[in-house]
Amino acid sequence: MVFPLACEVEPDEFEAQVAQELLNLEMTSTELKASLSDLYITAAKEVDCGAGRKAIIIYVPFKLQRSFQKVQARLVRELEKKFSGRHVIIVAQRNILGKSYARSQKTKGLRPRSRTLTAVQDAILEDIVYPTEITGKRTRCKVDGRRILKVYLDGRDQANVEGRTDTYAAVYGKLTNKQVSFHFSS
């Protein structure tokens, strides 16, 4: 796994370890070999989820997100074995453009909707819970001004995902500074 961006800093020790595990998977796994040969990651981060649990967030280029999602279930399962049960989450690297974004003279137009803060945060939430689909969202405003986002996941995946919802909430909170709770629709 090579980090292709030359302008970026050198990968730290943890990112190098994750990249090495991905390379080992590519070499040893016959079913993942063809899929992983063209894929690379941009960053990796370890996040504390509370109660002594940790999660690994792997950032991938936005253009390669669909390719990663094709093998994500197998890839996550293998990486969780390698990293002794820590949950692994794959998130696409996205850019947020501010309201005052001005394009160059050659390309006129407004800021793309996919680059707004809200759109990026919604897309991050979709990435975190992927293979499960989000069936509904509600925002609950409490009396003291706090907002809690209630996310309803597909009830068919409840058995597979129920143990991971606390990790999903912690990771989403770290990435976006928003509180979220996960529920399952019936």
Side-chain angles (χ1 to χ4, degrees):
M1 292 285 134
V2 178
F3 297 89
L5 302 175
C7 63
E8 295 291 323
V9 295
E10 286 292 315
D12 63 6
E13 183 180 327
F14 182 70
E15 289 174 343
Q17 182 183 0
V18 171
Q20 184 62 43
E21 290 299 334
L22 285 170
L23 183 66
N24 291 346
L25 274 176
E26 182 183 340
M27 295 301 173
T28 58
S29 177
T30 56
E31 58 187 28
L32 292 174
K33 185 172 186 141
S35 307
L36 289 178
S37 61
D38 297 331
L39 303 179
Y40 58 90
I41 63 173
T42 56
K45 193 163 69 169
E46 190 171 33
V47 176
D48 185 29
C49 296
R53 294 177 295 121
K54 292 188 184 255
I56 298 171
I57 304 172
I58 298 175
Y59 291 96
V60 300
F62 177 73
K63 291 183 176 184
L64 295 178
Q65 179 192 18
R66 294 285 171 227
S67 302
F68 267 101
Q69 285 182 345
K70 289 178 185 173
V71 295
Q72 183 166 343
R74 288 179 288 171
L75 183 63
V76 166
R77 187 173 50 242
E78 292 297 324
L79 285 174
E80 285 178 352
K81 286 181 199 172
K82 301 277 185 188
F83 288 107
S84 66
R86 286 183 268 182
H87 290 156
V88 176
I89 296 171
I90 298 176
V91 177
Q93 188 80 43
R94 291 184 170 83
N95 294 328
I96 300 172
L97 300 177
K99 287 183 179 179
S100 62
Y101 172 72
R103 289 182 178 245
S104 67
Q105 292 296 332
K106 293 179 185 174
T107 56
K108 297 198 182 292
L110 299 173
R111 164 181 64 158
R113 293 275 184 223
S114 64
R115 304 290 196 286
T116 62
L117 177 67
T118 310
V120 169
Q121 288 178 344
D122 287 345
I124 287 173
L125 186 60
E126 292 277 345
D127 289 351
I128 287 173
V129 300
Y130 184 82
T132 304
E133 290 185 20
I134 295 175
T135 57
K137 291 183 203 171
R138 304 286 184 271
T139 303
R140 180 169 183 206
C141 299
K142 295 210 172 183
V143 178
D144 60 358
R146 288 185 297 154
R147 291 174 174 229
I148 297 177
L149 182 66
K150 286 186 172 183
V151 177
Y152 294 94
L153 302 175
D154 194 359
R156 291 177 290 179
D157 297 326
Q158 184 170 358
N160 301 334
V161 179
E162 198 161 27
R164 302 171 70 96
T165 55
D166 293 336
T167 304
Y168 291 164
V171 168
Y172 187 73
K174 295 279 186 187
L175 294 178
T176 63
N177 291 325
K178 286 187 171 182
Q179 281 188 322
V180 66
S181 64
F182 291 96
H183 306 279
F184 292 95
S185 60
S186 50

